[in-house]
Amino acid sequence: MAGIRRVNGKYSGVNPAVSCCRLRQVQSLLCDGGTATPDGILCSLGIDSRYNEGCTELAKYLFYGLYGRNQLNLEHLLEEFSEEMLDDVILLIKAECVHLYCNPMNYSYLLPYVSHWRNLHLYCMTEAEYEDEEAAEEFKISSFVTMVQDCHRIGVPYSSQGHVQKFDMFMVEKWPLIQAFALEGIGGGSFFTMKYKLMDMSERLWQVYNRLDPVSLDNLLTEDLVNFEKQWTSFFSSMDLESHLSILELSEAQAGEAFRTYYSHGLISSNITDKSKSQQPFVLFGKHSSLEDVESYSFNFPSESHQVRNTGPQASTARHMILQCVAPKGPLACARTYFFGTTHTPYLGNQNTQQKKTEVLLLSQIYSAAVQAVLSGIKCYSCTSSATKAKDVAEHTFLMTLDSLNLNQYRSFLRSKCEFNIQAVNKQGRIIPLSDEESRYVVKTASMTVHDIPDLQWDGGHLGSVVFSESFLESSINIQQKDGTVSSDSCYTILTTTVPRYACWLMESDVKQSEQAQHLTKREEGTCLGTALTVADAAYVFSSSQLSTPEEGKIIFFSGGLLFIHSQYGSITLSKDHISSIKFYDPDSSAVASVFLEYDSTLLPHLPFPLHSSDQCLVFALQPRSKSHRAFYSKVLSVWKNSESGLTLQLVDQEQLTWSQRNMHTRLQKLHDSQEPPVAKRRGSLKTSYSQLPEQDMFLQHFSLSSIGQEPILYDHLGTLFPSAELRNPVSSQGDKVVITIITGLPGSHKNRLCNFLVQLNKECGRWVVYEPAPDSCDSFSASHLQQYLSGFLESQRGRGGKPRLLVLSPGYTDVLDVVQAVLFHPDPVVQACFTIGAVTACVNPLASCIEHRFAFPRLLEQCSQGIVSTVVFTGLTAEQKHPLMQHVQQLVRSANPTAAFILGERGAVTRNEDVNLILSESSFSEPQMLRARYVLYPGWCKGRFFSGSGSLVLTQQRVAFSRPLERPLFVTRCKALKSSLRPSPFQGNVYNVLGKVRFSDSDQMMEVSYNTVSGNLSIVPDQSVNPLTPGPQRNNTSCFLIFDGVGLTEDGLKDWLRLCAKQRQTKKPKKTKSTLSAQEIKSIHLTRHLDPLPPGYFYNGYQYVDIFGEKRNRHPNMDEFIKEYIAEANKEIELFNRQLELQGQHDLFDP
């Protein structure tokens, strides 16, 4: 179990779009059909599954941040409840629905993850119910039995990726939960593995886990990438400890220690047993970087004998090193080529403008071509998803860059020695084929190796190899244009871009040249830079070159130029002889001030190669409130602005900067913001973390949509989804479109009352038309019926003045998204263009929301969907805000829709004007946040292709028609008795709602009746006149009907129930016989005739009858005659009664 990430005591980081997407990915494994596909995937946590690692891994995937292996923040959780309480979870995922058992303690932690899941069946007791431990345990077992009752094959995530185990169903049978299934009475009554076929879903689930989404990408950026960057920071820190003398003794083993330790220690705990290919770290110097050396390299046995001093041409000093860092349990990897020595000579006034030709410069130029090639290959691949095309583009770019650097003589030699490839790497660091479907959503590594570079200028041998690679992630979305065609829009992000692409370390000759340049500060006049105006102070240098990163050093301003001193490049001098213009951009006192120097090509021999750029521009950044910033204003600005200085200085604003210059300034500003106060040591950390890169925000917006799926996005919505994009579409007005207001709610939610209330309140503001499925129809929502109605509506409104408003009332257990899709995607484009949705409102009555415990009625949460519903009206318990049921339902709905406005309207009466305006809004449905939510939560909605599925509990409706009146008291009594007759799960025979039109015997008027069993609310009102625009056939007003909704209802059973609500039908009486007389009747006969004359020989003594022999009896001696007479008389009356019944001709309630 993992610690819980919390902010101020609450859960944090829950992304509803990711929660839904991850569930859909798991459910997609259940849609193939066939015997190899299970009916559901079972996941049980904690002791119930004997802490099964596969189940924990699935829980970590679905409830990210809640379950895991680290114990951070665990102490906060244990203050509230035990670890076993959090693990008390059973999950059964089916293709269209989800069953979840939890307890009242962990419920609030799980709710943010599951409240957006469609067709959720929640098994959770209330706090009061849970206090009975025995009842709670029985509830868990019975819930589990109910979950699996309609399954035949059940999948189990048996193994985790890091610990593969052979599947053994008998080990699953030992799980306490599975054993409890066999309990008599509350369990299933048999062994689980005898009743269900178990299947191992581990490997198929691993493919799902490897798919990147915004949450796993965020983890990659904030945890894995940060750790990865730390290894490079450690590498630079160790290298910077070396002087220009000690660096000669550095070995490959010493230089690669940080990368090797990082990789090998990570592998110890990975437990990956497969033999798939993976990358490995390396560090190689100079000529020891040939193709043969790279291929035979083993990170476990690095070389101590290969040192900087002996790996260059002819065993001289090495000119470069190639190195690669690889994450041991992740997809990140990048390779670089760094150099020993610089490529420039500081300008000291000499007129030599020829670039010195050295091996370092040659290797730097070839490396630069490889960098350009890899970046162009990544760009091509992100647009085409073709590795072949990317390879062609990369190789072409490499050769063209060689030409532009005047290395034509190397072109033919290097054409066959450059190798470009792209590899997909999953989250475990395993290389997978690009042809696999799963490779689409994983990190990729693009690399180029130029091996065995020939030495054409010096000794004729080879100089070794150069390598460059980056880890990147692409994102692609489909866009449907206005003409219906679908095009692709792609972007990518380079995850390892903050690792410096170029680095060098000064050798002895470079140090001497640098020191010569620094002597310029000690001479007061006669220097090529003029007079020193300031002392050395911190600043950054940067260029638009692909090799350049912002580098910190010391800057000294002169009257005729400047000197920049850098720990790697040495000294850089810029004289007025080489500067064509200077731009100074200082937005405000808290921002970085940028000095842009545009230079002539004559400066190139005196400028480090990584600072060479096509726009021939350098920027020096002065930190706000720094000494250099103040000194520039006080000592430099006035001198440089003077025409005698020979410099052209402009004070500019942002509009006068080029696009490239603006980008460089933004990068430097973000660097300053992330590192204030400025770090003193150059390599204390990498200069910029990935999260501060300006292009990251756009990519994350793009990726949040592309990672959901490949359903297209409408072109008209791009401006809203990408507000920072250049493409901005003005919000179109509704024009002459008919605005539709949708009101949804479960039966008993008083949505009809709200609808009537709104129409009455606003009837003077325009013409209102209400669409409501026929009240005597028991069919579920019909999209075609609504679309036919909309077509007929337009026909009926032609020629009538004023724009009407349409109120659409959805049927009871309807997913509101189905209604929205039916309206927005009418098959007739002409009709479709005439309607727009203004707002969607959900009515929720807490008293009629839950079937039992915390299990809500089907579609309750779907009717409050985020991105669809903007307002939720609570129509019950409004005067009891602290009522536990009210608080529970509000918490549930708020979790499902964090952005909706909550309104109180008892029984549908919304009285505040601002609340009415929210419900009748003409634009809330189209607000940007609503549109974005729909795209990430309901892929395919914009084409009407989002499938809402069906839940595990199906409430059916039965319509019963009759023509006879009912007895009002009997009907009321029978309705009230329905609540006490409700049965627990599986709820068979339960009636939850009764509505319709009936006639009572005490009145000739037709009455509308509705009864909600859970809330106990009964309404009996006179039938209102039917709106002629309300769809549905018009029925004869004399017919009565009732619609019952519930579980497992039968027509015969409902008819029997109704007969008891009518005047009871009289039946023929049977004739009496002596044997059928009751004791009371016999007693009554005797009481009536006991004083009748006695036969001879008897007398009555006042108590008993005595004969002549003195025998006594209690009954009259003629009692048998009296009974015969009584029976004869009674049977005459019965015959008369039966004849009258035959003449009357009694009718059954359901007779025509």
Side-chain angles (χ1 to χ4, degrees):
M1 192 215 69
I4 289 185
R5 297 179 187 172
R6 302 193 300 174
V7 177
N8 297 327
K10 297 181 179 179
Y11 51 80
S12 65
V14 179
N15 184 327
V18 172
S19 296
C20 293
C21 181
R22 290 188 172 188
L23 176 66
R24 283 196 299 272
Q25 296 306 318
V26 176
Q27 288 178 320
S28 67
L29 303 178
L30 305 173
C31 297
D32 298 338
T35 57
T37 302
D39 299 313
I41 297 176
L42 175 66
C43 175
S44 176
L45 300 183
I47 190 62
D48 286 329
S49 64
R50 301 179 72 174
Y51 300 96
N52 178 266
E53 292 182 1
C55 290
T56 301
E57 189 175 34
L58 177 55
K60 285 169 60 179
Y61 178 70
L62 294 173
F63 308 122
Y64 45 92
L66 191 58
Y67 295 97
R69 285 297 174 197
N70 61 35
Q71 299 297 316
L72 299 176
N73 299 326
L74 182 58
E75 63 277 5
H76 298 295
L77 176 65
L78 295 180
E79 293 174 2
E80 297 181 28
F81 49 82
S82 66
E83 183 175 339
E84 287 74 16
M85 282 292 184
L86 183 65
D87 287 341
D88 188 22
V89 172
I90 305 171
L91 190 66
L92 182 71
I93 301 171
K94 296 185 178 181
E96 294 182 15
C97 63
V98 182
H99 295 259
L100 173 67
Y101 162 82
C102 62
N103 61 55
M105 306 304 175
N106 59 21
Y107 166 78
S108 59
Y109 290 95
L110 293 166
L111 184 60
Y113 297 93
V114 304
S115 56
H116 286 76
W117 290 359
R118 299 193 105 62
N119 305 313
L120 173 68
H121 189 142
L122 184 66
Y123 304 82
C124 182
M125 298 177 111
T126 63
E127 285 86 347
E129 294 168 335
Y130 194 70
E131 290 178 359
D132 186 338
E133 293 185 10
E134 185 176 346
E137 199 61 31
E138 289 185 3
F139 176 74
K140 178 199 287 191
I141 298 170
S142 63
S143 297
F144 175 56
V145 172
T146 303
M147 286 183 192
V148 299
Q149 64 183 359
D150 58 347
C151 294
H152 301 287
R153 299 177 299 275
I154 295 178
V156 178
Y158 191 70
S159 300
S160 65
Q161 289 188 83
H163 189 199
V164 181
Q165 296 176 294
K166 183 178 180 180
F167 181 67
D168 184 351
M169 71 175 185
F170 295 108
M171 290 300 294
V172 177
E173 186 69 65
K174 292 182 180 180
W175 291 2
L177 177 70
I178 302 299
Q179 289 183 330
F181 181 84
L183 292 176
E184 293 290 340
I186 56 173
S190 65
F191 288 108
F192 190 81
T193 50
M194 293 178 63
K195 189 170 183 179
Y196 301 104
K197 180 181 179 182
L198 295 183
M199 309 171 69
D200 187 13
M201 296 294 291
S202 302
E203 291 190 18
R204 296 176 68 185
L205 284 168
W206 295 345
Q207 297 178 4
V208 171
Y209 302 156
N210 281 319
R211 176 186 172 122
L212 276 177
D213 54 40
V215 168
S216 54
L217 176 58
D218 181 67
N219 291 336
L220 179 69
L221 299 180
T222 58
E223 297 176 12
D224 299 350
L225 183 56
V226 169
N227 199 21
F228 184 82
E229 290 175 343
K230 283 180 180 178
Q231 313 313 311
W232 285 94
T233 298
S234 178
F235 164 78
F236 282 115
S237 297
S238 65
M239 291 295 291
D240 284 345
L241 293 176
E242 306 291 340
S243 69
H244 64 280
L245 297 176
S246 65
I247 200 171
L248 297 174
E249 306 303 319
L250 187 69
S251 69
E252 292 176 350
Q254 291 172 312
E257 175 67 22
F259 298 161
R260 190 170 59 254
T261 304
Y262 170 54
Y263 187 74
S264 59
H265 284 191
L267 288 183
I268 292 174
S269 61
S270 66
N271 293 321
I272 295 176
T273 57
D274 64 6
K275 302 299 182 183
S276 58
K277 187 178 178 183
S278 62
Q279 305 170 91
Q280 66 170 343
F282 59 75
V283 174
L284 296 168
F285 291 165
K287 291 188 68 173
H288 188 235
S289 61
S290 66
L291 178 62
E292 181 182 353
D293 295 322
V294 173
E295 290 181 343
S296 62
Y297 182 84
S298 171
F299 75 93
N300 286 315
F301 304 101
S303 173
E304 292 282 359
S305 61
H306 290 89
Q307 298 174 312
V308 175
R309 63 178 174 81
N310 62 16
T311 48
Q314 298 177 345
S316 63
T317 303
R319 308 301 196 264
H320 75 296
M321 65 192 298
I322 64 172
L323 62 167
Q324 176 170 272
C325 182
V326 178
K329 293 188 293 184
L332 298 173
C334 76
R336 296 289 187 263
T337 301
Y338 291 156
F339 301 91
F340 300 111
T342 63
T343 61
H344 77 291
T345 303
Y347 176 71
L348 301 176
N350 52 321
Q351 296 303 314
N352 181 17
T353 59
Q354 293 298 314
Q355 180 82 54
K356 64 178 182 179
K357 300 294 184 181
T358 65
E359 291 100 328
V360 174
L361 177 62
L362 172 64
L363 291 168
S364 295
Q365 290 173 324
I366 295 174
Y367 174 61
S368 173
V371 172
Q372 299 286 355
V374 169
L375 298 180
S376 62
I378 291 174
K379 184 176 182 179
C380 175
Y381 183 83
S382 73
C383 295
T384 64
S385 296
S386 169
T388 304
K389 291 181 180 179
K391 180 179 174 67
D392 294 340
V393 168
E395 292 177 350
H396 177 73
T397 302
F398 176 73
L399 298 175
M400 294 297 292
T401 307
L402 291 180
D403 292 342
S404 67
L405 294 170
N406 298 317
L407 297 178
N408 310 64
Q409 70 273 30
Y410 284 89
R411 181 185 178 109
S412 58
F413 290 95
L414 298 182
R415 180 192 295 271
S416 61
K417 294 181 180 293
C418 67
E419 180 183 348
F420 174 85
N421 66 47
I422 293 179
Q423 295 176 323
V425 189
N426 67 19
K427 289 167 71 175
Q428 302 302 311
R430 306 289 98 183
I431 296 173
I432 58 177
L434 287 173
S435 57
D436 285 6
E437 178 64 27
E438 62 180 299
S439 71
R440 183 182 188 92
Y441 298 102
V442 301
V443 172
K444 297 169 184 69
T445 302
S447 64
M448 175 168 276
T449 302
V450 185
H451 56 83
D452 302 339
I453 298 171
D455 186 351
L456 299 181
Q457 299 179 19
W458 293 281
D459 68 349
H462 74 81
L463 299 174
S465 307
V466 299
V467 300
F468 178 75
S469 72
E470 298 276 30
S471 288
F472 72 97
L473 181 63
E474 82 275 21
S475 173
S476 176
I477 57 177
N478 294 322
I479 300 172
Q480 180 166 317
Q481 305 294 333
K482 293 183 177 180
D483 61 359
T485 59
V486 177
S487 61
S488 177
D489 179 78
S490 303
C491 69
Y492 64 93
T493 185
I494 298 176
L495 301 170
T496 50
T497 189
T498 56
V499 177
R501 290 174 180 159
Y502 191 98
C504 62
W505 288 270
L506 299 177
M507 306 309 284
E508 186 173 0
S509 60
D510 303 313
V511 172
K512 290 180 180 179
Q513 289 181 349
S514 179
E515 290 174 348
Q516 287 180 4
Q518 292 175 35
H519 288 156
L520 296 174
T521 61
K522 301 175 182 178
R523 296 163 55 184
E524 296 185 0
E525 56 184 29
T527 69
C528 61
L529 299 180
T531 306
L533 301 178
T534 65
V535 296
D537 196 32
Y540 283 91
V541 66
F542 189 35
S543 84
S544 60
S545 165
Q546 297 284 12
L547 297 180
S548 177
T549 53
E551 298 288 349
E552 187 179 0
K554 300 288 185 180
I555 194 169
I556 305 168
F557 291 101
F558 287 76
S559 59
L562 60 82
L563 169 65
F564 189 82
I565 304 170
H566 187 259
S567 61
Q568 283 193 353
Y569 300 151
S571 298
I572 306 170
T573 54
L574 286 89
S575 166
K576 63 183 179 182
D577 299 334
H578 303 126
I579 299 172
S580 57
S581 67
I582 303 174
K583 295 178 181 178
F584 181 62
Y585 175 56
D586 190 7
D588 56 63
S589 60
S590 63
V592 169
S594 295
V595 181
F596 295 96
L597 273 70
E598 297 176 354
Y599 56 84
D600 300 328
S601 59
T602 54
L603 177 66
L604 294 178
H606 312 293
L607 190 65
F609 181 74
L611 294 177
H612 293 195
S613 60
S614 58
D615 59 1
Q616 297 190 174
C617 179
L618 286 177
V619 58
F620 294 90
L622 310 178
Q623 306 299 318
R625 300 178 296 279
S626 66
K627 291 180 181 179
S628 58
H629 187 261
R630 293 194 298 268
F632 185 83
Y633 272 102
S634 61
K635 300 177 181 180
V636 181
L637 193 58
S638 58
V639 176
W640 282 12
K641 289 179 71 174
N642 193 324
S643 58
E644 296 179 1
S645 67
L647 297 168
T648 305
L649 175 65
Q650 292 178 275
L651 302 181
V652 298
D653 53 26
Q654 189 173 8
E655 286 71 25
Q656 293 170 279
L657 298 177
T658 65
W659 178 83
S660 174
Q661 290 170 346
R662 283 198 295 270
N663 279 352
M664 286 192 289
H665 176 81
T666 301
R667 175 85 176 268
L668 290 164
Q669 181 64 50
K670 288 212 168 195
L671 173 63
H672 166 73
D673 295 341
S674 68
Q675 294 190 337
E676 189 166 354
V679 289
K681 186 165 179 61
R682 178 188 175 281
R683 291 292 178 185
S685 62
L686 294 187
K687 302 312 296 177
T688 310
S689 69
Y690 178 86
S691 61
Q692 277 112 31
L693 296 182
E695 62 272 17
Q696 184 205 18
D697 290 343
M698 174 58 78
F699 176 81
L700 293 181
Q701 288 181 35
H702 201 280
F703 185 73
S704 66
L705 288 169
S706 70
S707 63
I708 299 299
Q710 290 303 298
E711 288 291 346
I713 292 172
L714 298 184
Y715 177 83
D716 290 341
H717 294 161
L718 286 180
T720 303
L721 296 173
F722 299 103
S724 58
E726 295 180 6
L727 175 64
R728 289 180 179 272
N729 295 325
V731 179
S732 57
S733 62
Q734 307 297 354
D736 293 330
K737 291 186 176 183
V738 176
V739 178
I740 296 177
T741 298
I742 298 175
I743 297 179
T744 185
L746 298 175
S749 64
H750 303 293
K751 61 183 176 184
N752 302 75
R753 289 173 177 266
L754 174 62
C755 178
N756 296 334
F757 186 80
L758 292 173
V759 172
Q760 292 298 320
L761 194 65
N762 297 275
K763 60 184 178 181
E764 297 179 358
C765 303
R767 290 188 294 111
W768 288 85
V769 181
V770 179
Y771 169 88
E772 181 180 7
D776 55 351
S777 169
C778 61
D779 295 329
S780 58
F781 172 71
S782 169
S784 59
H785 186 276
L786 174 57
Q787 290 166 346
Q788 291 172 8
Y789 172 75
L790 294 178
S791 300
F793 175 85
L794 285 182
E795 290 292 330
S796 67
Q797 297 299 311
R798 283 184 180 172
R800 303 181 66 175
K803 187 172 73 170
R805 288 287 298 269
L806 181 60
L807 270 173
V808 172
L809 243 61
S810 68
Y813 304 104
T814 301
D815 192 322
V816 68
L817 193 54
D818 292 340
V819 182
V820 168
Q821 290 185 128
V823 171
L824 293 181
F825 307 102
H826 195 286
D828 186 342
V830 176
V831 177
Q832 179 181 324
C834 293
F835 292 95
T836 184
I837 296 177
V840 181
T841 297
C843 292
V844 176
N845 181 5
L847 293 171
S849 297
C850 295
I851 293 181
E852 68 170 4
H853 309 298
R854 289 183 172 173
F855 176 35
F857 276 98
R859 306 299 191 186
L860 172 67
L861 294 182
E862 285 80 356
Q863 292 186 353
C864 301
S865 295
Q866 184 178 359
I868 305 292
V869 174
S870 55
T871 307
V872 178
V873 180
F874 290 92
T875 58
L877 291 177
T878 56
E880 301 178 62
Q881 289 291 292
K882 299 297 183 182
H883 193 284
L885 185 58
M886 181 67 158
Q887 291 183 328
H888 162 65
V889 174
Q890 284 197 339
Q891 178 194 18
L892 188 63
V893 174
R894 176 55 74 205
S895 182
N897 193 337
T899 60
F902 280 8
I903 292 174
L904 300 179
E906 186 66 32
R907 299 173 70 84
V910 177
T911 54
R912 298 195 316 165
N913 288 336
E914 51 267 40
D915 293 343
V916 174
N917 292 338
L918 282 175
I919 297 171
L920 299 181
S921 168
E922 297 189 5
S923 62
S924 68
F925 183 80
S926 304
E927 288 177 357
Q929 68 168 2
M930 301 282 282
L931 184 65
R932 281 192 289 270
R934 288 197 290 277
Y935 269 109
V936 297
L937 289 171
Y938 321 115
W941 78 274
C942 65
K943 296 300 296 175
R945 292 201 291 253
F946 184 82
F947 177 61
S948 57
S950 60
S952 58
L953 180 66
V954 179
L955 270 70
T956 58
Q957 289 186 321
Q958 288 277 357
R959 181 180 183 274
V960 181
F962 53 96
S963 56
R964 304 286 173 178
L966 301 180
E967 299 296 316
R968 189 188 300 258
L970 292 176
F971 178 76
V972 172
T973 302
R974 294 290 295 166
C975 282
K976 296 293 184 182
L978 286 175
K979 187 168 187 176
S980 60
S981 66
L982 291 178
R983 302 173 186 172
S985 179
F987 315 112
Q988 285 295 315
N990 286 356
V991 175
Y992 291 108
N993 289 281
V994 182
L995 66 152
K997 297 183 179 181
V998 302
R999 185 178 287 107
F1000 292 112
S1001 60
D1002 58 3
S1003 171
D1004 290 335
Q1005 189 173 11
M1006 187 71 77
M1007 308 296 285
E1008 286 187 5
V1009 299
S1010 66
Y1011 177 68
N1012 181 269
T1013 306
V1014 176
S1015 66
N1017 181 61
L1018 175 63
S1019 170
I1020 302 177
V1021 296
D1023 182 21
Q1024 304 295 318
S1025 59
V1026 178
N1027 187 335
L1029 283 168
T1030 298
Q1034 303 301 313
R1035 294 185 179 269
N1036 188 335
N1037 286 338
T1038 60
S1039 65
C1040 302
F1041 69 91
L1042 284 176
I1043 296 174
F1044 299 82
D1045 72 54
V1047 180
L1049 302 182
T1050 63
E1051 185 175 4
D1052 290 341
L1054 294 175
K1055 284 185 175 182
D1056 290 342
W1057 185 89
L1058 267 176
R1059 286 189 179 99
L1060 296 177
C1061 300
K1063 187 176 181 180
Q1064 298 306 295
R1065 182 178 179 182
Q1066 292 179 312
T1067 58
K1068 288 184 177 181
K1069 296 179 181 180
K1071 289 187 176 182
K1072 292 181 180 293
T1073 63
K1074 184 176 181 179
S1075 60
T1076 62
L1077 291 180
S1078 66
Q1080 183 63 38
E1081 285 180 298
I1082 294 174
K1083 184 178 180 180
S1084 177
I1085 294 171
H1086 185 266
L1087 185 63
T1088 305
R1089 307 285 298 269
H1090 75 284
L1091 297 178
D1092 279 18
L1094 293 169
Y1098 284 88
F1099 71 92
Y1100 181 57
N1101 64 9
Y1103 296 98
Q1104 293 175 311
Y1105 301 92
V1106 185
D1107 62 9
I1108 58 173
F1109 302 107
E1111 292 182 3
K1112 299 177 181 178
R1113 60 174 66 185
N1114 293 327
R1115 284 189 175 186
H1116 196 289
N1118 294 336
M1119 189 62 186
D1120 290 341
E1121 296 296 325
F1122 297 160
I1123 289 175
K1124 289 180 181 179
E1125 292 175 8
Y1126 172 80
I1127 290 174
E1129 187 65 30
N1131 284 341
K1132 286 181 182 179
E1133 294 180 4
I1134 289 173
E1135 288 176 0
L1136 177 62
F1137 176 81
N1138 289 344
R1139 281 198 300 272
Q1140 289 175 342
L1141 280 183
E1142 290 175 358
L1143 293 174
Q1144 289 176 359
Q1146 286 194 104
H1147 297 285
D1148 183 70
L1149 179 66
F1150 300 99
D1151 287 344

